[in-house]
Amino acid sequence: MKIIGLTGTVGCGKSTVGKLMHDNFSVKLVMTDELGHFAMKRGNSAYEKVVNLFGIEILTETGEIDRKILGNIVFENKEKLDKLNGVIHPWVKQYLQEDIAKETQLGRYQFYVIESAILFETGLNDMCEENWCIDTCDEIRRERLKVSRGYSDEKIVSILSNQGEKNYFMEHCDFIIENNRSLDDVLRQIEKLLV
């Protein structure tokens, strides 16, 4: 089972490409955003640590962590964000290591794909045999961010002005998938890399 990291800038279509891979090939797709949310569910070890760090004020009436309240706390406080990441990122990495070991033993998939916007920042790229970058032109990203996420023009301009991130991905990934045309075009690119 080959392990592939899938990354790219916000609005490039990582989730769409990951889903195409999952739906058309022997791929187990794991999205680290979803894993991070799962880590904070009551009953997981990260839950207790996050509540101990930020207090019971972040809990809903049912005792779950209110991600919106927590997000407001860490949004403009790098120190608190770093503390949160110091709990969540190691939990996600451990989960992935255990899941990869399990799936390797079961032999159900040819490929294990880790979709993450922060693949390199968290060191998850080191777990992967190949790292793929999804590249999309700014015009399409702008439209996606406006339509699917409801971002304001100001926020989109701010996001798109950070081209250093895009260049970093392009330089550090093994392969680049261009996501500027049809899904069929993307599928053809994936097929060339996987088959």
Side-chain angles (χ1 to χ4, degrees), residues 12 14 23 29 33 44 46 56 86 99-100 122 124 131 133 135 141 155 157 159 168 175 180 184:
C12 71
K14 290 182 295 295
D23 292 349
L29 173 66
D33 266 3
N44 290 325
I56 59 170
D99 196 47
I100 288 168
T122 55
L124 295 177
N131 293 295
C133 169
D135 183 38
R141 287 176 63 208
K155 185 165 186 172
V157 166
I159 289 168
Y168 181 88
F175 298 103
N180 293 317
D184 285 341

Side-chain angles (χ1 to χ4, degrees), residues 137-147 156 160:
C137 70
D138 288 350
E139 187 180 319
I140 293 172
R141 287 176 63 208
R142 180 178 283 111
E143 187 61 28
R144 283 185 189 151
L145 293 170
K146 187 174 272 194
V147 173
I156 292 169
L160 296 182

Side-chain angles (χ1 to χ4, degrees), residues 128-174:
C128 304
E129 294 163 68
E130 293 177 0
N131 293 295
W132 296 8
C133 169
I134 312 305
D135 183 38
T136 307
C137 70
D138 288 350
E139 187 180 319
I140 293 172
R141 287 176 63 208
R142 180 178 283 111
E143 187 61 28
R144 283 185 189 151
L145 293 170
K146 187 174 272 194
V147 173
S148 68
R149 302 200 186 181
Y151 286 177
S152 67
D153 289 334
E154 296 77 28
K155 185 165 186 172
I156 292 169
V157 166
S158 170
I159 289 168
L160 296 182
S161 68
N162 184 9
Q163 289 300 313
E165 181 186 35
K166 185 174 182 175
N167 294 337
Y168 181 88
F169 289 142
M170 305 277 279
E171 289 167 14
H172 288 83
C173 285
D174 301 295

